[in-house]
Short mmCIF file of all heavy atoms in Angstrom, two decimals:
data_model
loop_
_atom_site.label_atom_id
_atom_site.label_comp_id
_atom_site.label_asym_id
_atom_site.label_seq_id
_atom_site.Cartn_x
_atom_site.Cartn_y
_atom_site.Cartn_z
N GLU A 198 112.12 103.76 75.44
CA GLU A 198 113.29 103.56 74.52
C GLU A 198 114.38 104.61 74.74
O GLU A 198 115.18 104.63 73.91
CB GLU A 198 112.82 103.36 73.15
CG GLU A 198 111.77 102.16 72.86
CD GLU A 198 111.49 101.98 71.46
OE1 GLU A 198 111.97 102.77 70.67
OE2 GLU A 198 110.72 100.97 71.25
N ASN A 199 114.21 105.57 75.71
CA ASN A 199 115.21 106.52 76.04
C ASN A 199 115.89 106.34 77.36
O ASN A 199 115.36 105.74 78.22
CB ASN A 199 114.54 108.01 75.92
CG ASN A 199 114.13 108.41 74.51
OD1 ASN A 199 114.51 107.65 73.51
ND2 ASN A 199 113.61 109.56 74.42
N GLN A 200 116.99 106.93 77.43
CA GLN A 200 117.76 106.94 78.74
C GLN A 200 117.09 107.89 79.72
O GLN A 200 116.40 108.93 79.22
CB GLN A 200 119.28 107.15 78.41
CG GLN A 200 120.05 106.08 77.71
CD GLN A 200 121.50 106.29 77.63
OE1 GLN A 200 121.88 107.47 77.80
NE2 GLN A 200 122.16 105.29 77.59
N ARG A 201 117.34 107.59 80.97
CA ARG A 201 116.94 108.56 81.94
C ARG A 201 117.59 109.88 81.75
O ARG A 201 118.90 109.77 81.73
CB ARG A 201 116.98 108.05 83.41
CG ARG A 201 116.13 108.69 84.43
CD ARG A 201 116.19 107.89 85.68
NE ARG A 201 115.42 106.60 85.53
CZ ARG A 201 115.01 105.69 86.52
NH1 ARG A 201 115.43 106.12 87.67
NH2 ARG A 201 114.44 104.62 86.21
N ALA A 202 117.03 111.07 81.83
CA ALA A 202 117.59 112.24 81.61
C ALA A 202 117.28 113.29 82.61
O ALA A 202 116.19 113.28 83.17
CB ALA A 202 117.25 112.75 80.21
N LEU A 203 118.26 114.11 82.95
CA LEU A 203 118.00 115.35 83.95
C LEU A 203 117.06 116.21 83.29
O LEU A 203 117.01 116.54 82.13
CB LEU A 203 119.34 115.96 84.19
CG LEU A 203 119.27 117.09 85.19
CD1 LEU A 203 120.70 117.16 85.99
CD2 LEU A 203 119.02 118.40 84.56
N VAL A 204 116.09 116.57 84.32
CA VAL A 204 115.06 117.61 83.97
C VAL A 204 115.47 118.91 84.68
O VAL A 204 115.53 119.97 84.16
CB VAL A 204 113.56 117.15 84.32
CG1 VAL A 204 112.59 118.38 84.19
CG2 VAL A 204 113.29 115.98 83.55
N ALA A 205 115.61 118.64 86.04
CA ALA A 205 116.01 119.94 86.81
C ALA A 205 116.64 119.46 88.10
O ALA A 205 116.25 118.48 88.60
CB ALA A 205 114.68 120.75 87.20
N THR A 206 117.42 120.30 88.65
CA THR A 206 118.09 120.01 89.95
C THR A 206 118.05 121.26 90.77
O THR A 206 117.80 122.32 90.24
CB THR A 206 119.58 119.58 89.84
OG1 THR A 206 120.35 120.53 89.17
CG2 THR A 206 119.70 118.17 89.17
N ILE A 207 118.18 121.04 92.12
CA ILE A 207 118.15 122.13 93.07
C ILE A 207 119.24 121.97 94.21
O ILE A 207 119.19 120.92 94.77
CB ILE A 207 116.73 122.42 93.62
CG1 ILE A 207 116.70 123.68 94.44
CG2 ILE A 207 116.22 121.22 94.37
CD1 ILE A 207 115.43 124.17 94.95
N ASN A 208 120.10 122.82 94.14
CA ASN A 208 121.28 122.80 95.06
C ASN A 208 121.40 123.97 95.90
O ASN A 208 121.65 125.07 95.28
CB ASN A 208 122.52 122.38 94.30
CG ASN A 208 123.75 122.16 95.25
OD1 ASN A 208 123.56 121.80 96.41
ND2 ASN A 208 124.98 122.35 94.83
N ASP A 209 121.21 123.96 97.24
CA ASP A 209 121.07 125.11 98.14
C ASP A 209 120.24 126.19 97.50
O ASP A 209 120.60 127.25 97.40
CB ASP A 209 122.61 125.64 98.15
CG ASP A 209 123.43 124.75 99.02
OD1 ASP A 209 122.96 124.04 99.85
OD2 ASP A 209 124.71 124.72 98.81
N ASP A 210 119.14 125.77 97.00
CA ASP A 210 118.04 126.59 96.48
C ASP A 210 118.54 127.25 95.09
O ASP A 210 117.74 128.16 94.65
CB ASP A 210 117.65 127.67 97.48
CG ASP A 210 116.98 127.19 98.79
OD1 ASP A 210 116.26 126.10 98.47
OD2 ASP A 210 117.09 127.74 99.71
N VAL A 211 119.46 126.74 94.52
CA VAL A 211 119.79 127.27 93.24
C VAL A 211 119.39 126.14 92.17
O VAL A 211 119.90 125.12 92.24
CB VAL A 211 121.40 127.39 92.96
CG1 VAL A 211 121.72 127.81 91.57
CG2 VAL A 211 121.77 128.52 94.03
N PRO A 212 118.50 126.48 91.29
CA PRO A 212 117.94 125.56 90.30
C PRO A 212 118.83 125.56 89.10
O PRO A 212 119.49 126.55 88.71
CB PRO A 212 116.64 126.18 90.06
CG PRO A 212 116.75 127.64 90.12
CD PRO A 212 117.73 127.85 91.25
N ASN A 213 118.72 124.33 88.39
CA ASN A 213 119.36 124.10 87.18
C ASN A 213 118.51 123.32 86.30
O ASN A 213 117.81 122.43 86.87
CB ASN A 213 120.67 123.44 87.43
CG ASN A 213 121.56 123.08 86.10
OD1 ASN A 213 121.67 124.05 85.27
ND2 ASN A 213 121.63 121.88 85.74
N TYR A 214 118.28 123.65 85.02
CA TYR A 214 117.27 122.99 84.27
C TYR A 214 117.95 122.63 82.92
O TYR A 214 118.85 123.16 82.38
CB TYR A 214 116.29 124.11 83.79
CG TYR A 214 115.48 124.64 84.94
CD1 TYR A 214 115.75 125.86 85.46
CD2 TYR A 214 114.49 123.88 85.55
CE1 TYR A 214 115.20 126.38 86.54
CE2 TYR A 214 113.68 124.31 86.68
CZ TYR A 214 114.11 125.67 87.21
OH TYR A 214 113.47 126.18 88.29
N ALA A 215 117.33 121.46 82.43
CA ALA A 215 117.67 121.12 80.98
C ALA A 215 117.21 122.12 80.04
O ALA A 215 116.23 122.87 80.40
CB ALA A 215 117.09 119.77 80.76
N ASP A 216 118.02 122.29 78.94
CA ASP A 216 117.57 123.40 78.00
C ASP A 216 116.12 123.11 77.46
O ASP A 216 115.46 124.19 77.18
CB ASP A 216 118.62 123.29 76.86
CG ASP A 216 119.96 123.81 77.10
OD1 ASP A 216 120.14 124.51 78.16
OD2 ASP A 216 120.95 123.47 76.38
N SER A 217 115.73 121.87 77.38
CA SER A 217 114.48 121.66 76.75
C SER A 217 113.31 122.15 77.68
O SER A 217 112.06 122.22 77.23
CB SER A 217 114.32 120.12 76.53
OG SER A 217 114.42 119.47 77.74
N VAL A 218 113.50 122.43 78.99
CA VAL A 218 112.37 122.81 79.88
C VAL A 218 112.56 124.24 80.48
O VAL A 218 111.74 124.75 81.11
CB VAL A 218 112.21 121.81 80.99
CG1 VAL A 218 112.15 120.34 80.49
CG2 VAL A 218 113.52 121.80 81.97
N LYS A 219 113.79 124.80 80.08
CA LYS A 219 114.00 126.19 80.64
C LYS A 219 112.77 127.15 80.17
O LYS A 219 112.43 127.17 79.10
CB LYS A 219 115.31 126.65 80.04
CG LYS A 219 116.54 126.19 80.81
CD LYS A 219 117.86 126.81 80.20
CE LYS A 219 119.00 126.19 80.99
NZ LYS A 219 120.32 126.68 80.44
N GLY A 220 112.38 127.93 81.12
CA GLY A 220 111.35 128.91 80.92
C GLY A 220 109.94 128.30 81.10
O GLY A 220 109.01 129.05 81.02
N ARG A 221 109.87 127.02 81.08
CA ARG A 221 108.53 126.27 81.22
C ARG A 221 108.37 125.60 82.57
O ARG A 221 107.32 125.45 83.08
CB ARG A 221 108.45 125.29 80.10
CG ARG A 221 108.41 125.83 78.74
CD ARG A 221 107.93 125.00 77.73
NE ARG A 221 108.92 123.66 77.67
CZ ARG A 221 108.56 122.43 77.76
NH1 ARG A 221 107.33 122.20 77.97
NH2 ARG A 221 109.43 121.48 77.73
N PHE A 222 109.52 125.05 83.06
CA PHE A 222 109.47 124.19 84.40
C PHE A 222 110.11 124.99 85.46
O PHE A 222 110.92 125.86 85.27
CB PHE A 222 110.11 122.96 84.21
CG PHE A 222 109.45 121.88 83.30
CD1 PHE A 222 108.33 122.17 82.49
CD2 PHE A 222 109.86 120.64 83.35
CE1 PHE A 222 107.75 121.37 81.70
CE2 PHE A 222 109.27 119.65 82.49
CZ PHE A 222 108.18 119.95 81.70
N ALA A 223 109.64 124.75 86.66
CA ALA A 223 110.22 125.41 87.91
C ALA A 223 110.34 124.44 88.97
O ALA A 223 109.40 123.82 89.41
CB ALA A 223 109.49 126.66 88.22
N ILE A 224 111.56 124.29 89.53
CA ILE A 224 111.73 123.40 90.57
C ILE A 224 111.87 124.20 91.99
O ILE A 224 112.39 125.28 92.01
CB ILE A 224 113.09 122.55 90.40
CG1 ILE A 224 113.12 121.39 91.55
CG2 ILE A 224 114.36 123.44 90.48
CD1 ILE A 224 114.25 120.39 91.23
N SER A 225 111.26 123.65 93.02
CA SER A 225 111.33 124.39 94.36
C SER A 225 111.27 123.30 95.39
O SER A 225 110.96 122.07 95.20
CB SER A 225 110.04 125.27 94.41
OG SER A 225 108.92 124.55 94.44
N ARG A 226 111.74 123.80 96.56
CA ARG A 226 111.90 122.90 97.77
C ARG A 226 111.17 123.54 99.02
O ARG A 226 111.11 124.66 99.26
CB ARG A 226 113.31 122.78 98.01
CG ARG A 226 113.70 121.89 99.25
CD ARG A 226 115.05 122.10 99.73
NE ARG A 226 116.19 121.82 98.52
CZ ARG A 226 116.54 120.77 98.20
NH1 ARG A 226 116.11 119.58 98.75
NH2 ARG A 226 117.51 120.55 97.32
N ASP A 227 110.52 122.53 99.77
CA ASP A 227 109.92 122.96 101.01
C ASP A 227 110.65 122.01 102.14
O ASP A 227 110.45 120.93 102.26
CB ASP A 227 108.41 122.60 101.04
CG ASP A 227 107.85 123.01 102.38
OD1 ASP A 227 108.51 123.10 103.46
OD2 ASP A 227 106.62 123.30 102.37
N ASN A 228 111.71 122.70 102.70
CA ASN A 228 112.56 121.99 103.71
C ASN A 228 111.76 121.35 104.86
O ASN A 228 112.11 120.35 105.32
CB ASN A 228 113.65 122.71 104.17
CG ASN A 228 114.70 123.08 103.09
OD1 ASN A 228 114.96 122.09 102.23
ND2 ASN A 228 115.26 124.17 103.01
N ALA A 229 110.81 122.14 105.30
CA ALA A 229 110.10 121.71 106.40
C ALA A 229 109.24 120.44 106.11
O ALA A 229 109.08 119.66 106.97
CB ALA A 229 108.96 122.83 106.80
N LYS A 230 108.95 120.31 105.02
CA LYS A 230 108.12 119.05 104.45
C LYS A 230 109.00 117.98 103.82
O LYS A 230 108.51 116.99 103.40
CB LYS A 230 107.03 119.39 103.60
CG LYS A 230 105.98 120.37 104.10
CD LYS A 230 104.79 120.63 103.20
CE LYS A 230 103.71 121.53 103.78
NZ LYS A 230 102.63 121.84 102.82
N ASN A 231 110.30 118.38 103.64
CA ASN A 231 111.24 117.49 102.88
C ASN A 231 110.64 116.98 101.72
O ASN A 231 110.65 115.78 101.29
CB ASN A 231 111.39 116.09 103.80
CG ASN A 231 112.96 115.74 103.84
OD1 ASN A 231 113.73 116.27 103.06
ND2 ASN A 231 113.29 114.91 104.72
N THR A 232 110.15 118.08 100.90
CA THR A 232 109.57 117.85 99.67
C THR A 232 110.08 118.74 98.62
O THR A 232 110.38 119.85 98.94
CB THR A 232 108.00 118.15 99.77
OG1 THR A 232 107.46 117.11 100.80
CG2 THR A 232 107.31 117.76 98.44
N VAL A 233 110.20 118.28 97.37
CA VAL A 233 110.65 118.98 96.22
C VAL A 233 109.53 118.93 95.14
O VAL A 233 108.90 117.86 95.04
CB VAL A 233 111.93 118.58 95.63
CG1 VAL A 233 112.18 119.15 94.33
CG2 VAL A 233 113.05 118.78 96.66
N TYR A 234 109.32 120.02 94.53
CA TYR A 234 108.13 120.22 93.54
C TYR A 234 108.73 120.47 92.21
O TYR A 234 109.81 121.05 92.20
CB TYR A 234 107.22 121.34 93.99
CG TYR A 234 106.69 121.15 95.29
CD1 TYR A 234 107.20 121.87 96.40
CD2 TYR A 234 105.57 120.44 95.62
CE1 TYR A 234 106.68 121.68 97.71
CE2 TYR A 234 104.98 120.34 96.84
CZ TYR A 234 105.58 120.94 97.90
OH TYR A 234 105.03 120.70 99.12
N LEU A 235 107.94 120.09 91.30
CA LEU A 235 108.38 120.47 89.84
C LEU A 235 107.02 121.03 89.26
O LEU A 235 106.16 120.28 88.95
CB LEU A 235 108.97 119.34 89.08
CG LEU A 235 109.37 119.62 87.70
CD1 LEU A 235 110.65 120.45 87.74
CD2 LEU A 235 109.54 118.38 86.83
N GLU A 236 107.02 122.33 89.09
CA GLU A 236 105.78 122.90 88.29
C GLU A 236 106.22 122.91 86.84
O GLU A 236 107.16 123.45 86.37
CB GLU A 236 105.81 124.38 88.82
CG GLU A 236 104.55 125.17 88.24
CD GLU A 236 103.33 124.76 89.09
OE1 GLU A 236 103.37 124.41 90.24
OE2 GLU A 236 102.20 124.78 88.47
N MET A 237 105.23 122.44 86.15
CA MET A 237 105.39 122.25 84.72
C MET A 237 104.41 122.91 83.93
O MET A 237 103.19 122.63 84.02
CB MET A 237 105.54 120.72 84.28
CG MET A 237 106.33 119.84 85.05
SD MET A 237 106.53 118.13 84.47
CE MET A 237 104.93 117.62 84.94
N ASN A 238 104.69 123.80 83.09
CA ASN A 238 103.85 124.67 82.26
C ASN A 238 104.07 124.60 80.85
O ASN A 238 105.18 124.05 80.32
CB ASN A 238 103.84 126.17 82.78
CG ASN A 238 103.61 126.34 84.34
OD1 ASN A 238 102.54 125.93 84.69
ND2 ASN A 238 104.48 126.98 85.04
N SER A 239 103.17 124.92 80.05
CA SER A 239 103.32 124.87 78.67
C SER A 239 103.76 123.52 78.15
O SER A 239 104.66 123.44 77.33
CB SER A 239 104.25 126.07 78.05
OG SER A 239 103.75 127.20 78.49
#
């Protein structure tokens, strides 16, 4: 019942986070694998 909302983006290896996940989530990229990860803690 909610709209889709941004969690984290990564642009040229610069991350950006929604306020609600700052300090808990981390986004990273592996260019060789064409894969992006989202590490979610707490």
Side-chain angles (χ1 to χ4, degrees):
E198 301 182 356
N199 285 356
Q200 291 186 334
R201 197 168 295 188
L203 182 147
V204 176
T206 60
I207 184 163
N208 183 24
D209 291 334
D210 294 329
V211 177
N213 180 57
Y214 300 99
D216 288 343
S217 59
V218 306
K219 281 182 181 176
R221 300 188 297 123
F222 290 12
I224 188 170
S225 60
R226 181 195 302 280
D227 185 332
N228 289 322
K230 296 182 179 180
N231 223 347
T232 299
V233 169
Y234 304 97
L235 185 67
E236 187 76 35
M237 306 187 295
N238 299 308
S239 303

